[in-house]
Amino acid sequence: MATPFSSIDGRGAGGVAVMAGPVNPIDPSAPSKTCLKISALKSPILIFLFFHKAIRSELDGLHRAAIAFATTGGDIKPLLERYHLFRSIYKHHCNAEDE
């Protein structure tokens, strides 16, 4: 599913949001059983797992905020600021993975 975005902030920057399929709910308060048994010092790959879980959790929260804005309206500026911060973090993360 792709949704085109028009320029909301007047700078002419549009984009497309793509959702490949259904998103499973993430409960950020429930720790993973695997993460409790193995510390990040013993298995450094867990750092990547935690970071990817944080990205998924923030993306889920951003999606909920966008749906709330679409249904109730209000000021879009906080949503745009949150999106721009997330996009910046995601771009840096992708660049680091590519390197």
Side-chain angles (χ1 to χ4, degrees), residues 2 4 6 9 15-16 22-24 35 41 46 49 52 61 64 66 71 78 93 99:
S6 62
D9 58 1
V16 175
V23 177
N24 295 331
C35 297
L41 294 175
L46 287 178
L49 175 73
H52 284 114
R64 283 194 307 264
T71 56
H93 172 70
E99 288 180 13

Side-chain angles (χ1 to χ4, degrees), residues 1-85:
M1 174 171 91
T3 306
F5 293 113
S6 62
S7 173
I8 297 173
D9 58 1
R11 291 186 280 186
V16 175
V18 178
M19 186 171 162
V23 177
N24 295 331
I26 300 171
D27 185 7
S29 64
S32 172
K33 292 178 183 177
T34 307
C35 297
L36 291 175
K37 294 179 183 176
I38 305 170
S39 71
L41 294 175
K42 291 181 181 177
S43 181
I45 195 75
L46 287 178
I47 294 170
F48 296 106
L49 175 73
F50 293 149
F51 191 78
H52 284 114
K53 278 186 158 186
I55 287 176
R56 289 178 56 198
S57 178
E58 179 59 23
L59 189 58
D60 186 47
L62 196 57
H63 179 254
R64 283 194 307 264
I67 294 297
F69 172 77
T71 56
T72 61
D75 186 20
I76 195 164
K77 187 168 175 115
L79 184 61
L80 277 175
E81 289 172 356
R82 186 174 172 184
Y83 161 74
H84 287 297
L85 176 65

